[in-house]
Amino acid sequence: MSALQSKFTKPFIDIFVLTWDFGLFLLNLVLPPSPPDAVVPAGAPGHAGHWPPYTPPGPNDSRSACPMLNALANHSILPHDGKNITFRRLNTTVRQSFNFAPSFCFFVPAFAANFLGRSYWTGSFDLADLSKHNAIEHDASLTRRDSAEVADQGKPDWELVEELLEGATGEGGRKLTKADLSRALAKRRVECRKRNERYSESLFHNGFGSANSSTMLTIFGGSVDDLRPMLTEERFVEGWQPRILSRFGLTMAAFNGTVLPVELGVKRAKIE
């Protein structure tokens, strides 16, 4: 598809996806949830909480700024080297592994294909490609130092992760809450503005930051015990399954119910 065709058709595709997504959102309201052990489909890696063996990345393996995608590669659900992954395979794998809605799983890889200048239908990428600055990757991440400080965005910053998880206030410190994420994001944005001369921030970047963070509350239910290995070693805990039980998975419409309060809470957070 040419750049001109893509520019012309993108608004129509976006309208279709949002309509599709809202339809799935409505169906999720009336259909019974999936049984907890059947969220990951039978035959797919992770079904009933049984994940393939974990192998840390080697020096030549490609990794992204997203812990969840890196975990899929570390467990060889995506290619372990993190290379030559088709956008369509990413769609299917993320949907099966995390129970995002099919509309969500089309929209994000298609967005990635667009900012990389590739075809969603025929193109492929390496995980590190997704760390293109100010596309999906952004300043003031909760698990990575800014790209101006650390060039390799494929590795988590354990100090940042521990600071985040130690700030959990739900269930006696065992769960992150929306307020915890708002406070952590506010603190990171203040710190990064001071430290990073090339710091950039926009409504779009802030929204993506809140969205990325909100997966901890939706897909992981805020559980510190499950998030610590995911955010530090980028691996699944044996027995872990997505917390979203909706029949058609987590839609963008439902996700906004978490993302918007988290982002709005950033401005209200008191940072010392």
Side-chain angles (χ1 to χ4, degrees):
M1 182 181 292
S2 69
L4 181 60
Q5 286 175 316
S6 178
K7 184 177 180 179
F8 178 76
T9 59
K10 186 177 184 303
F12 296 98
I13 293 174
D14 289 346
I15 291 170
F16 169 77
V17 172
L18 291 174
T19 304
W20 177 25
D21 184 81
F22 190 69
L24 296 178
F25 169 76
L26 294 177
L27 286 172
N28 280 338
L29 294 178
V30 298
L31 292 176
S34 298
D37 284 344
V39 175
V40 177
H47 175 67
H50 301 304
W51 297 94
Y54 165 83
T55 304
N60 297 318
D61 292 335
S62 182
R63 294 295 183 266
S64 74
C66 175
M68 294 165 68
L69 296 186
N70 293 347
L72 292 174
N74 291 340
H75 286 267
S76 298
I77 301 168
L78 290 174
H80 190 270
D81 65 2
K83 298 177 181 179
N84 199 32
I85 303 166
T86 66
F87 295 100
R88 296 175 75 176
R89 178 174 180 179
L90 182 66
N91 177 331
T92 302
T93 303
V94 168
R95 180 160 45 89
Q96 290 182 340
S97 301
F98 296 110
N99 199 27
F100 283 98
S103 50
F104 210 145
C105 290
F106 170 79
F107 182 82
V108 175
F111 174 80
N114 186 59
F115 76 67
L116 293 174
R118 301 171 193 176
S119 167
Y120 167 83
W121 303 105
T122 62
S124 62
F125 63 97
D126 296 348
L127 285 176
D129 295 339
L130 301 181
S131 295
K132 180 180 179 181
H133 186 51
N134 279 346
I136 291 175
E137 183 276 333
H138 54 85
D139 288 334
S141 163
L142 296 181
T143 66
R144 266 79 173 158
R145 300 288 175 184
D146 290 355
S147 60
E149 298 179 78
V150 179
D152 184 2
Q153 291 293 298
K155 297 179 181 179
D157 186 292
W158 285 33
E159 182 180 348
L160 286 178
V161 172
E162 285 302 321
E163 182 178 358
L164 168 67
L165 298 181
E166 287 173 4
T169 62
E171 296 187 7
R174 292 180 297 171
K175 286 194 174 183
L176 286 169
T177 67
K178 292 176 185 176
D180 296 334
L181 285 187
S182 296
R183 188 167 51 253
L185 285 166
K187 186 173 186 292
R188 280 291 289 149
R189 291 174 191 176
V190 169
E191 290 174 344
C192 292
R193 288 189 197 104
K194 293 178 180 178
R195 294 175 51 158
N196 180 3
E197 293 181 354
R198 290 182 281 169
Y199 178 78
S200 61
E201 182 180 312
S202 68
L203 181 63
F204 172 79
H205 298 144
N206 287 346
F208 237 114
S210 290
N212 292 340
S213 303
S214 292
T215 58
M216 302 182 207
L217 302 182
T218 52
I219 303 299
F220 288 85
S223 169
V224 169
D225 288 342
D226 291 343
L227 285 168
R228 180 167 279 110
M230 175 56 65
L231 299 181
T232 55
E233 300 172 78
E234 299 182 328
R235 68 175 175 87
F236 293 97
V237 175
E238 181 63 18
W240 180 84
Q241 296 178 80
R243 297 301 198 277
I244 298 297
L245 303 181
S246 301
R247 186 68 60 170
F248 285 102
L250 179 63
T251 61
M252 292 182 283
F255 192 46
N256 285 335
T258 299
V259 176
L260 292 177
V262 167
E263 180 57 33
L264 291 172
V266 171
K267 294 184 179 180
R268 297 193 297 267
K270 296 181 179 180
I271 305 301
E272 297 180 0

